[in-house]
Amino acid sequence: MNGKNIIGSLYQTGDREFLKAADPSTGLLLEGEFSRANESLVESALALAVDAFQTYRFIDKDIKAAFLNAIADELNKVGEILVNRAAKESGLPLPRLQGELGRTTGQLRMFANLVSEGSWVDAIIDTALPDRQPQPKPDIRRMLVPVGPVVIFGASNFPLAFSVAGGDTASAFASGCPVIVKAHPAHLGTSAIVGQAIVKAVELCGIPKGVFSLLYDDGYAVGAGLVKHPLTKAVAFTGSFKGGMGLVQLANEREHPIPVFAEMGSINPVLFLPDALETSTSELAKKYAASITLGAGQFCTNPGLLLTIKSAALETFKAALAEAINVIPSSTMLTEGIANNYNKVSSEIEEEIGVSILASSTSENKELQNQSKAIIAEVNAVDFINNPKLQEEIFGPYSLLVVAEDINELEDVINVLKGQLTITLMAEQEELLHFNTLIAKLIDKTGRIILNGVPTGVEVCAAMQHGGPFPATNDSRFTSVGTTAIKRFVRPLAYQDWVHDLLPPELKNGNPLGILRTVNQKMTHE
């Protein structure tokens, strides 16, 4: 494990200061020293990235696909070492991280397949009509092209799948963009191991070395420097609202503003309609106790808000949910800072008007540090509507039950909700026909609407939408999961009356790549 910064696939030291990672469950420092990056390394990484871009953007799609597959292969070779280090740095259990490694390599292979097939470039051709009156029509051909160097910030809650070789990196590489990753300061060793795997893949596939860099810092200087640098063309971030909007502001203050794709979390409301609650009371309580506490509640899709209408079935549900939550043991949170913030904010909420505690974990592991106890709080709809503080995300195993007097009051609750990554509806099929207005309101508030499931667990597939209206993300048109995540790092380019032999193969007559294109408003492989 090499603790130097990776600059264009070469290992370099920055400042004389070195960083160390800690085990959040014990507070003990872990093996390895990691060189803090500086302004000089930021400059070098971006200069090399721009140079690499001039070649990498035009590399044959099959070579690019082989590169993505090679990264996945290299990660699998170091899989055991990688997940063990990630477990020590994050406090997450090994089975969870083994699954996350599979997700990470699966994403890489998914984008490799996308690139190899090739139709993702959305090629559109409108051929010339020289005899058209009163003016001839030119030949215009358009496709998506990469924007240039992309800066990616590693996330705290997914040390593999949203980090150095995670979905942001995979989609940026697939688009033809070089990547500069700012490692998360809690995952220094994990980042180093993954970075080394990418360097090996670069060498194996003959990719320009400047296509990948990895920088370490436990403050804000390096990240801010990367975002403000004039050679950076896009930014991807997963984390807090404050952090995401800080990056958006930096990007907008540049002489030439650039897009920031910030996924900033959400409270992921779950609506329990009366018939569903009546039919599956105990089952729903157990299902949601598990979802709320999964991964110590440190998922951006954690169900942090439970909405329902007062009923006899609700009282049974509350008793079953409390029983399930009470016996769930405490869990190690990702970092000391996250644990302290969870304990502080969840305690403060108890003091808000109308809020009471329905359930709380009774089992705390006193031998480990940074422990979180699951909490379910309760409030009536009127007090919830009148208190914006209750509508904010609490990152951890926490959920707030909001009880309305009737369906009209429940709709009033929905009206005050902000944008969400997910909204879940628990309902019997017959009920859905009677709540059209409510469902329409839900659709306007979210990027993914779920029926009779749980929001935790994001399927990595072409149809997935992991992004939603502000403040869940700053741009709800895009997703950070699934194949369309590639569209964050491209722009449309049209060629008008261009010399045919100089056109990209995606736009040439005869369709030499055999991709799906739109030709004269008809989708075809011709």
Side-chain angles (χ1 to χ4, degrees):
M1 183 172 58
N2 192 325
K4 295 180 181 179
N5 298 276
I6 300 174
I7 307 299
S9 298
L10 300 175
Y11 288 92
Q12 297 186 30
T13 55
D15 292 338
R16 293 182 179 179
E17 293 183 56
F18 286 86
L19 310 174
K20 292 188 74 70
D23 183 336
S25 68
T26 64
L28 297 177
L29 296 178
L30 298 170
E31 174 191 0
E33 290 187 330
F34 302 87
S35 173
R36 187 196 301 272
N38 56 23
E39 183 179 349
S40 175
L41 293 187
V42 169
E43 290 286 344
S44 297
L46 280 159
L48 289 168
V50 167
D51 186 58
F53 180 56
Q54 305 313 316
T55 302
Y56 185 64
R57 65 196 295 190
F58 299 119
I59 278 182
D60 181 84
K61 63 186 181 69
D62 291 332
I63 296 176
K64 201 181 299 177
F67 173 47
L68 291 164
N69 280 320
I71 297 172
D73 292 341
E74 293 301 321
L75 289 176
N76 281 333
K77 289 178 184 178
V78 295
E80 184 176 356
I81 296 171
L82 179 58
V83 296
N84 277 289
R85 178 69 186 209
K88 291 178 181 177
E89 290 185 334
S90 67
L92 296 170
L94 279 174
R96 147 74 193 272
L97 290 166
Q98 289 163 345
E100 191 178 329
L101 176 59
R103 171 178 171 172
T104 305
T105 57
Q107 288 173 158
L108 287 158
R109 298 194 193 283
M110 177 185 71
F111 280 107
N113 291 337
L114 182 76
V115 168
S116 182
E117 192 279 330
S119 299
W120 73 271
V121 298
D122 193 22
I124 303 173
I125 298 174
D126 282 299
T127 54
L129 294 173
D131 297 327
R132 189 185 68 174
Q133 296 298 325
Q135 290 183 329
K137 175 189 173 185
D139 182 281
I140 301 178
R141 305 178 182 221
R142 164 183 152 151
M143 63 180 287
L144 299 175
V145 298
V147 297
V150 174
V151 169
I152 291 168
F153 288 79
S156 65
N157 57 342
F158 282 89
L160 302 176
F162 275 93
S163 190
V164 179
D168 292 335
T169 297
S171 53
F173 278 156
S175 74
C177 293
V179 168
I180 301 100
V181 178
K182 195 272 187 182
H184 194 281
H187 307 149
L188 300 172
T190 304
S191 298
I193 296 168
V194 176
Q196 185 175 355
I198 296 177
V199 169
K200 288 185 177 179
V202 167
E203 295 172 350
L204 285 170
C205 298
I207 301 296
K209 293 185 182 300
V211 82
F212 174 69
S213 292
L214 173 66
L215 287 79
Y216 302 107
D217 187 24
D218 61 350
Y220 302 105
V222 168
L226 288 167
V227 174
K228 292 190 293 185
H229 199 286
L231 297 180
T232 298
K233 298 303 180 183
V235 176
F237 170 85
T238 299
S240 69
F241 176 78
K242 181 180 178 181
M245 291 309 297
L247 297 180
V248 170
Q249 182 176 349
L250 286 175
N252 287 336
E253 290 172 349
R254 293 168 39 130
E255 181 180 359
H256 300 289
I258 57 172
V260 173
F261 301 100
E263 191 263 89
M264 299 177 288
S266 121
I267 51 176
N268 306 295
V270 181
L271 277 73
F272 297 90
L273 292 184
D275 288 354
L277 207 56
E278 183 81 38
T279 304
S280 309
T281 312
S282 178
E283 177 188 341
L284 288 177
K286 292 177 182 177
K287 178 185 290 188
Y288 271 89
S291 181
I292 291 164
T293 58
L294 183 67
Q298 298 168 121
F299 285 86
C300 48
T301 53
N302 178 58
L305 195 62
L306 310 179
L307 309 177
T308 191
I309 299 170
K310 185 181 293 185
S311 68
L314 172 60
E315 296 307 310
T316 305
F317 172 77
K318 286 162 57 175
L321 181 61
E323 182 181 359
I325 289 291
N326 288 339
V327 298
I328 292 175
S330 65
S331 298
T332 302
M333 300 200 81
L334 292 160
T335 67
E336 181 181 3
I338 289 173
N340 289 341
N341 187 68
Y342 172 73
N343 292 325
K344 175 178 178 292
V345 175
S346 60
S347 296
E348 291 174 349
I349 289 295
E350 295 179 28
E351 306 302 319
E352 296 297 317
I353 294 174
V355 175
S356 60
I357 300 302
L358 175 64
S360 178
S361 299
T362 57
S363 174
E364 181 176 359
N365 191 332
K366 301 288 188 180
E367 296 180 0
L368 298 178
Q369 297 183 17
N370 300 314
Q371 297 297 288
S372 65
K373 298 170 67 175
I375 298 172
I376 305 294
E378 181 180 358
V379 70
N380 67 55
V382 173
D383 286 334
F384 177 81
I385 291 168
N386 292 332
N387 190 346
K389 188 173 182 178
L390 300 181
Q391 302 162 30
E392 297 175 1
E393 179 187 20
I394 296 179
F395 191 66
Y398 174 95
S399 195
L400 177 64
L401 176 66
V402 179
V403 181
E405 291 290 332
D406 53 35
I407 186 61
N408 293 325
E409 198 168 77
L410 182 61
E411 287 193 14
D412 291 340
V413 170
I414 293 168
N415 287 336
V416 303
L417 293 179
K418 299 176 182 178
Q420 307 291 330
L421 292 172
T422 74
I423 292 180
T424 302
L425 192 61
M426 307 302 298
E428 294 294 299
Q429 188 169 342
E430 296 76 12
E431 282 185 291
L432 297 175
L433 301 175
H434 304 294
F435 292 97
N436 291 333
T437 301
L438 181 145
I439 293 171
K441 289 182 177 181
L442 297 180
I443 289 171
D444 290 339
K445 300 277 186 175
T446 189
R448 177 163 57 110
I449 187 163
I450 303 164
L451 180 62
N452 293 334
V454 294
T456 42
V458 179
E459 183 66 30
V460 181
C461 64
M464 177 51 63
Q465 173 61 23
H466 191 62
F470 187 85
T473 62
N474 67 312
D475 193 333
S476 63
R477 297 172 299 170
F478 297 93
T479 178
S480 59
V481 178
T483 53
T484 54
I486 197 172
K487 294 191 176 180
R488 296 173 296 171
F489 308 126
V490 294
R491 63 180 181 88
L493 175 66
Y495 293 82
Q496 182 168 328
D497 290 330
W498 206 248
V499 177
H500 183 266
D501 287 346
L502 299 181
L503 285 168
E506 292 89 348
L507 298 178
K508 286 185 176 180
N509 294 340
N511 197 5
L513 299 182
I515 62 175
L516 183 63
R517 310 189 296 183
T518 301
V519 180
N520 295 326
Q521 302 182 51
K522 178 183 177 182
M523 297 190 74
T524 176
H525 281 93
E526 295 178 358

